[in-house]
Amino acid sequence: MANTMKIPSRELWSYFGYGLGQCFSFGLVGSFINYFYTDVLGISALAASTIFLIARAWDAIHDPLFASIMDTINSRFGKFRHFMLIAPLLITGVTLLSFYKIEADTTTKILYAGVTYILWGTLYAISDIPFWSMSSVMTNDSGQRTRAVTAAMLGVNAGIACANIFFPKLAAFFSQYSNDKGYFMAALVMMLVGLPLMLNGFLQIKERVPPSPEKVTMRDTFRNLKQNKPLFIILLSFFFCVFHNVANGIYIYFFIYNMGDASLQMVIGLMGIVAAVVCLVAPMLTRKMPKRKLFMILCGLDIAVRVVMWFAGYHHTAVLFLLLGLSTIFVMMTNILTSSMIADTIEYAEYHTHKRCAAITFSGQTFTGKMSVAVGGGLIGVFLTMIGYVPQAQSQSDAVLNGLFFGICLLPAIGSLIRLGFMSRFTFTEEKHAEICRLLAERRHATPEDEVKVQPDGRPVSAN
C-alpha cells in the first residue's frame, strides 16, 4: 500500500472548525426557518411546506450536477480546497437573506422565502460537498480518514447544537429592541462567528491524494457513481436516520405535554455537544474492530437502550435523559462511520472506472442527509395526525401522550433495526480497501504493459 499520509492535529482542528462554522447556518435553517416563515414573516404553513418540497426536488438535480462539475475541475489549490474559500462568503450572505423580514404583500413574501430558501440549499451544497470530499484527499489511509471524518462530524454536530442553544436566546435579546429584526440580528451574530472559522479551514487544510491522471468528464462522474455499489448500501443505512429525525421534531411536543416543561428542549442540544466529545473515541474503536461491525453493534445498542427507555417510562427525568444521551452517542458515532466508509468507496469506484470522483460520491451523502431531514419533517405532521394530536390545546389525551413517547422512543429503534439490516449486506471491508489502494498505487507507477497485470478483469488482483 502507498505510504500513510498522516494528518497533523492542527489540520484536524481546522477541519472541525469549518464544520462548526458551516453548521451554524445548517442548524439555523434546519431548526428555525419554518417558524420564521409562519410566525415572523407571516406566510402559511402550507406555503412553507410547498417551498420545502420544491427545494428538495431541485436538490435532486443540482447536488449531483454540481458535484460532477467539481470532479472535473483542478486548480492551483487542488480539487476541492478552492471552494472552501468562496463558499463561506456565499453561505453567510444567503443565510442572512433567509432570515430577513421583508415588508410586502403575502405573495411577494412567499416568493422571497422560496427564492432565498432554494438559493440557500444550492449554495450550501457548494460548501458541504467539497467539505466532506476533502476527507478523501487529505489522506489515503482508512484510519486517518476516520480521524478526519470524526473531526468533521464533531464540528457539524457541535455547530447544530450551538445554533439550537444560542440562537433562541440571541433572537429573544434582539427582539427587545426590534421585534421584526430579532431573527436577522441573531443570525448575523452567529454567522459572523462562523465565517472566520470556515475561512481558517481553507487556510489550514491540505490535499495530499493526487487526482486521477486521466481527465475526468461529467459523463465519467455519473458512470463512476453507478459503479460504486458499496456506496448505495451506506446511503440507505444513512437515510434511515429519518426515524431519528422524526423523533427530533417530536421532542418539543413531548416536553410540553408529557413533561410539562418546554425548556427541556435545550438539554437535547447540550447532549449533542457531550455526545460529540465522547465520539472522539471513534478512531480508537475503529483500530480495534472493522467499521461495519462497529456500526452494527452501535445500532444494536441504540435499539436496546430505546427498548429499556420504553419500559422505564418518562417519570424519572434523570433516567430518561441518561438513556437519550446514550442513544445520541450511538447514533452520532454511526454517522461518523458512515462518512468514513463513504470516503473509502471512492477508491473502489476509481479502481473500477480509472477515474477518481470524490465530489459525486459525497454529493450522495449531502443529498441523502437533506432528503432524510425533509422526509422526517413531513412525517412529523403525519405522525401527529395519526395519534390524534390537537394543535394549541392546553392538554392532550392519554393516547396522544403515549403516542408522543412512542415517537421519541421506539420509532427511532425501528430505524436502527432497518439500518442494521442494510449494513449487514455491506462487504467492502478495510482489508479490501487497503488492497485496492495498493493496486491503485501500482497502477499510477505502472507502464501500459504492467497495467494489464494490475487489473485484468476489473477486480482487485495481485500485480505479480
Side-chain angles (χ1 to χ4, degrees), residues 229-464:
K229 296 177 182 178
L231 173 66
F232 291 100
I233 296 176
I234 300 172
L235 293 181
L236 282 168
S237 300
F238 183 45
F239 173 78
F240 277 97
C241 275
V242 63
F243 292 107
H244 292 82
N245 293 330
V246 173
N248 290 338
I250 293 173
Y251 280 136
I252 186 62
Y253 301 96
F254 175 79
F255 292 137
I256 290 173
Y257 293 107
N258 294 60
M259 306 294 289
D261 187 357
S263 66
L264 290 173
Q265 177 78 17
M266 185 181 295
V267 181
I268 299 298
L270 294 173
M271 285 194 313
I273 294 177
V274 173
V277 174
V278 175
C279 284
L280 286 170
V281 304
M284 291 183 282
L285 293 175
T286 58
R287 288 198 291 268
K288 301 293 184 182
M289 69 178 73
K291 296 172 191 174
R292 171 184 175 273
K293 182 178 180 181
L294 180 58
F295 184 101
M296 294 175 69
I297 290 173
L298 291 168
C299 286
L301 289 172
D302 184 47
I303 295 168
V305 163
R306 289 184 176 276
V307 170
V308 170
M309 191 190 310
W310 175 255
F311 286 105
Y314 56 85
H315 298 294
H316 300 287
T317 306
V319 174
L320 174 69
F321 279 111
L322 173 63
L323 295 172
L324 284 174
L326 288 173
S327 175
T328 301
I329 292 169
F330 299 148
V331 174
M332 192 177 294
M333 203 172 294
T334 63
N335 289 337
I336 290 173
L337 297 174
T338 293
S339 296
S340 181
M341 287 189 285
I342 286 174
D344 288 346
T345 70
I346 292 169
E347 280 81 20
Y348 176 92
E350 180 185 1
Y351 180 83
H352 287 284
T353 66
H354 289 239
K355 309 288 183 178
R356 185 177 183 85
C357 303
I360 194 75
T361 304
F362 273 105
S363 72
Q365 174 176 285
T366 299
F367 175 70
T368 303
K370 288 180 183 177
M371 184 59 67
S372 182
V373 170
V375 172
L379 288 176
I380 291 170
V382 174
F383 180 81
L384 292 175
T385 301
M386 287 176 62
I387 64 175
Y389 172 78
V390 181
Q392 299 179 334
Q394 293 297 315
S395 62
Q396 302 289 339
S397 67
D398 288 343
V400 172
L401 298 181
N402 289 333
L404 290 173
F405 187 46
F406 176 88
I408 72 159
C409 188
L410 293 185
L411 195 61
I414 295 171
S416 287
L417 183 63
I418 295 172
R419 300 180 78 202
L420 194 157
F422 279 118
M423 191 53 64
S424 68
R425 301 179 64 84
F426 184 78
T427 59
F428 187 55
T429 62
E430 284 86 342
E431 290 77 14
K432 292 181 180 179
H433 174 257
E435 175 68 2
I436 277 184
C437 285
R438 183 185 70 79
L439 293 172
L440 286 173
E442 290 183 6
R443 177 190 289 171
R444 292 188 186 102
H445 297 92
T447 64
E449 293 78 10
D450 292 332
E451 190 168 335
V452 174
K453 298 178 183 178
V454 174
Q455 32 129 356
D457 58 2
R459 293 178 297 170
V461 295
S462 173
N464 298 318

Side-chain angles (χ1 to χ4, degrees), residues 25 31 76 282 310:
S25 173
S31 299
R76 64 189 182 91
W310 175 255

Side-chain angles (χ1 to χ4, degrees), residues 12-24:
L12 292 174
W13 278 109
S14 299
Y15 201 31
F16 165 87
Y18 192 100
L20 179 69
Q22 174 181 276
C23 281
F24 285 168

